[in-house]
Amino acid sequence: MQAAVEATLRQHGEEEDARKQGLVKIFEGMKPPEAARIFEQMELAQLVDIIERMKQRSASPILAQLHPVRARQVAAELAKRRTP
């Protein structure tokens, strides 16, 4: 029974990861001002999850388009997540 639960949790995690990767590809394909406009409205945790997965080359121009307060929030959260 434990193995079945672990397998279900693993599958759910993989599906969630695939959904997030799909979002990353969508945002990487958008023009930075368009993506930034959407990012301004997203919950911070979701936004940071997406930014973390994006290529730096794609994320940088989008972050530059964000309102400075929002960009600072994102940068602070990214720093927290990268601190061991």
Side-chain angles (χ1 to χ4, degrees):
M1 185 163 159
Q2 182 178 354
V5 169
E6 289 173 358
T8 301
L9 289 173
R10 188 173 31 257
Q11 180 182 2
H12 178 70
E14 291 170 359
E15 290 171 358
E16 182 68 22
D17 190 52
R19 280 192 292 274
K20 287 180 182 178
Q21 275 306 119
L23 280 174
V24 167
K25 288 182 181 184
I26 289 169
F27 285 113
E28 285 181 333
M30 296 175 102
K31 293 181 181 178
E34 295 168 350
R37 192 171 57 244
I38 295 168
F39 281 2
E40 291 284 352
Q41 304 302 315
M42 292 179 82
E43 291 182 25
L44 185 60
Q46 286 180 315
L47 171 56
V48 173
D49 282 343
I50 292 170
I51 291 287
E52 270 187 319
R53 295 167 183 263
M54 292 178 80
K55 296 174 189 158
Q56 187 175 7
R57 186 175 188 164
S58 298
S60 297
I62 296 170
L63 288 172
Q65 294 287 320
L66 290 176
H67 186 278
V69 172
R70 185 67 162 175
R72 186 175 54 238
Q73 290 172 335
V74 172
E77 188 63 30
L78 285 171
K80 280 190 221 174
R81 290 183 181 200
R82 292 185 179 160
T83 303

